[in-house]
Amino acid sequence: MMLTVENVTCARGGMPVLSGVSFALDAGQALVLRGPNGCGKTTLLRTLAGLQSPLAGSVTFPEDEGAYASHADGIKAQLSVTENLSFWADVHGRPMPDDVFTSFDLDDLRDRLAGTLSAGQKRRLGLARLGVIGRKVLFLDEPTVSLDGFSVRMFADFLRDKHLAQGGVAVIATHIDLGLDAPEMDLTPFKADHTATGGSDEAFL
């Protein structure tokens, strides 16, 4: 399995949020996390990605293959679209894939400063990093925020035809139907007992 999650309990601000979460994904598979706002989707994704430790259980995936994408676009406003993506390619020691501009509808924006882009264009640029860094295990928190219908379909095509088709996996928290052939996991049954002891003092950003 590319990603194995066994009996994970995770916390936000020291308070247990979810407990007993287990699943496994093989190469080419995705999982969509569902549940109402505040149920713990973001907390779980952060825990799976290694940004905070689980209170219990284990998360296993190949070393240096995980990437987490949150609501923040993570772009440098004073750099151009191309310079932003080149920066991430250099950080990860990878060549710049030229088709990433087409995959995220950025061809006509290559020389534009990121700070001058619209909210949706910034979102596409932020997500385009995923096509540059080459990580196999993606943890995606509401990735389609600010995207119009065309851009949502484009991102779904990237996930299906490039990332998953090339052996990657993805865990996605979203309320949008991305049209992926992927099972869904409702996190509501995994709600933790808030009276349980434990937790951590991690900073939640």
Side-chain angles (χ1 to χ4, degrees):
M1 288 293 174
M2 182 74 71
L3 171 65
T4 303
V5 178
E6 296 183 339
N7 202 32
V8 163
T9 296
C10 57
R12 174 172 178 165
M15 178 179 292
V17 176
L18 297 170
S19 65
V21 179
S22 297
F23 62 86
L25 297 177
D26 206 348
Q29 295 182 326
L31 177 69
V32 177
L33 302 179
R34 301 290 195 190
N37 293 336
C39 74
K41 298 186 294 294
T42 294
T43 302
L44 178 61
L45 285 171
R46 287 173 53 87
T47 301
L48 299 181
L51 300 179
Q52 60 189 67
S53 299
L55 300 184
S58 63
V59 181
T60 305
F61 56 86
E63 186 176 5
D64 294 330
E65 285 291 355
Y68 172 74
S70 69
H71 300 164
D73 295 319
I75 61 179
K76 301 289 187 180
Q78 69 274 25
L79 298 181
S80 70
V81 167
T82 298
E83 289 169 338
N84 266 277
L85 295 180
S86 294
F87 169 81
W88 286 106
D90 290 344
V91 166
H92 290 269
R94 295 177 56 84
M96 168 73 82
D98 193 63
D99 64 352
V100 73
F101 295 96
T102 301
S103 295
F104 291 89
D105 194 23
L106 297 171
D107 274 315
D108 295 336
L109 302 173
R110 293 183 186 225
D111 298 325
R112 282 272 300 274
L113 293 180
T116 69
L117 301 177
S118 70
Q121 291 168 338
K122 289 177 180 177
R123 190 61 177 164
R124 295 204 310 270
L125 174 55
L127 291 173
R129 290 177 299 162
L130 302 176
V132 169
I133 63 178
R135 296 293 179 94
K136 288 290 189 181
V137 184
L138 301 183
F139 303 100
L140 307 176
D141 190 2
E142 297 291 352
T144 59
V145 169
S146 299
L147 295 183
D148 59 21
F150 173 79
S151 297
V152 168
R153 293 190 295 274
M154 180 171 289
F155 180 64
D157 288 344
F158 162 77
L159 283 179
R160 180 182 57 252
D161 300 335
K162 294 186 180 295
H163 180 69
L164 298 177
Q166 295 175 9
V169 304
V171 183
I172 313 160
T174 181
H175 297 287
I176 301 297
D177 181 5
L178 294 176
L180 299 176
D181 182 17
E184 298 182 359
M185 173 180 281
D186 182 2
L187 295 182
T188 305
F190 299 97
K191 183 178 179 180
D193 178 3
H194 288 175
T195 64
T197 58
S200 61
D201 59 357
E202 83 281 352
F204 192 89
L205 302 177

